[in-house]
Amino acid sequence: SQQGEEDPQALSIQEGENATMNCSYKTSINNLQWYRQNSGRGLVHLILIRSNEREKHSGRLRVTLDTSKKSSSLLITASRAADTASYFCATDRSGYSTLTFGKGTMLLVSP
Amino acid sequence: NAGVTQTPKFQVLKTGQSMTLQCAQDMNHNSMYWYRQDPGMGLRLIYYSASEGTTDKGEVPNGYNVSRLNKREFSLRLESAAPSQTSVYFCASSSPDIFYGYTFGSGTRLTVV
């Protein structure tokens, strides 16, 4: 069963705009990770946020985590056409040794 | 280049045929995983191997078997392929340091007709 659910399913923006994707999950987690998948390629790890962290930055990426609401958001600032991809959240659930992935958000950044 | 290598990249099988998907990593990772990705379903875990010599079922193991041949290699076998196994299969590996997440291969696109 899916642990994480991303929202929206698809997002279309212009270059230079910010893109925000959300992820909700159901059970307690140790950490939450975000991955990017370009069309026809494997997933690439972007960032990890631990359950005791509330916000994390990496370059143009900003991730927040609200464990009380069981939700996370990924913000990509100043989007570029090269950011066009699908983005997945993945949770490392307490008591489990594997990641459970959501269904992803498809981001289209137009020049 | 360091990473996860999957072969083949594409495969078409007839219903009832068998095949083995190969996966090898050169990062000295302990853990390896097989996921399948279907439209609208995200990634679902088929089997995983936490360390050499161990394998465990994931969410959707029926119809599949795995072998952790050594620390580097983790293969996925379809004994009697069915159309429902048409999917893109991804192998991944990870180290005990979760900070770096999983490293994925580029996938095998399998069609069962």
Side-chain angles (χ1 to χ4, degrees):
Chain A
S1 61
Q2 301 297 136
Q3 161 77 328
E5 293 287 342
E6 291 90 343
D7 171 60
Q9 289 186 326
L11 180 61
S12 182
I13 61 174
Q14 299 292 121
E15 265 192 329
E17 295 180 339
N18 296 339
T20 299
M21 289 158 270
N22 301 298
C23 170
S24 60
Y25 57 91
K26 299 175 183 175
T27 62
S28 297
I29 62 172
N30 296 317
N31 65 75
L32 186 145
Q33 305 178 30
W34 286 91
Y35 288 78
R36 182 187 74 234
Q37 183 181 33
N38 291 93
S39 180
R41 307 295 295 273
L43 280 72
V44 175
H45 181 252
L46 294 176
I47 193 166
L48 176 150
I49 186 165
R50 300 179 191 272
S51 60
N52 62 354
E53 298 176 313
R54 292 296 167 259
E55 186 171 314
K56 204 159 184 184
H57 297 256
S58 177
R60 294 185 295 113
L61 304 180
R62 173 182 170 243
V63 171
T64 62
L65 179 65
D66 187 334
T67 53
S68 67
K69 296 181 178 179
K70 292 186 170 59
S71 67
S72 174
S73 67
L74 172 68
L75 168 68
I76 304 174
T77 60
S79 295
R80 306 165 181 167
D83 294 327
T84 293
S86 291
Y87 292 82
F88 295 85
C89 68
T91 52
D92 180 355
R93 292 180 289 169
S94 301
Y96 289 80
S97 58
T98 61
L99 290 181
T100 302
F101 287 81
K103 297 179 182 180
T105 292
M106 291 181 59
L107 172 66
L108 173 64
V109 182
S110 301
Chain B
N1 291 333
V4 177
T5 302
Q6 290 184 238
T7 56
K9 294 190 182 303
F10 301 94
Q11 184 71 47
V12 178
L13 289 179
K14 294 182 178 179
T15 298
Q17 286 185 319
S18 63
M19 79 162 294
T20 299
L21 281 65
Q22 306 287 353
C23 175
Q25 53 91 9
D26 59 5
M27 296 169 289
N28 202 35
H29 285 170
N30 291 327
S31 301
M32 298 185 73
Y33 315 85
W34 277 105
Y35 285 87
R36 61 178 288 174
Q37 184 175 33
D38 302 292
M41 298 294 292
L43 278 81
R44 293 181 292 170
L45 182 65
I46 306 171
Y47 270 94
Y48 68 101
S49 171
S51 61
E52 186 179 355
T54 69
T55 60
D56 285 285
K57 295 178 180 179
E59 182 184 354
V60 289
N62 291 344
Y64 306 95
N65 284 301
V66 290
S67 295
R68 184 73 183 266
L69 303 171
N70 47 56
K71 192 171 186 178
R72 291 186 64 249
E73 298 172 288
F74 188 38
S75 62
L76 178 71
R77 182 160 179 84
L78 288 70
E79 291 291 351
S80 179
S84 61
Q85 294 178 305
T86 293
S87 187
V88 181
Y89 291 86
F90 288 100
C91 177
S93 67
S94 67
S95 72
D97 187 348
I98 60 170
F99 179 81
Y100 299 102
Y102 287 11
T103 301
F104 281 83
S106 57
T108 294
R109 186 174 296 274
L110 175 67
T111 302
V112 183
V113 298

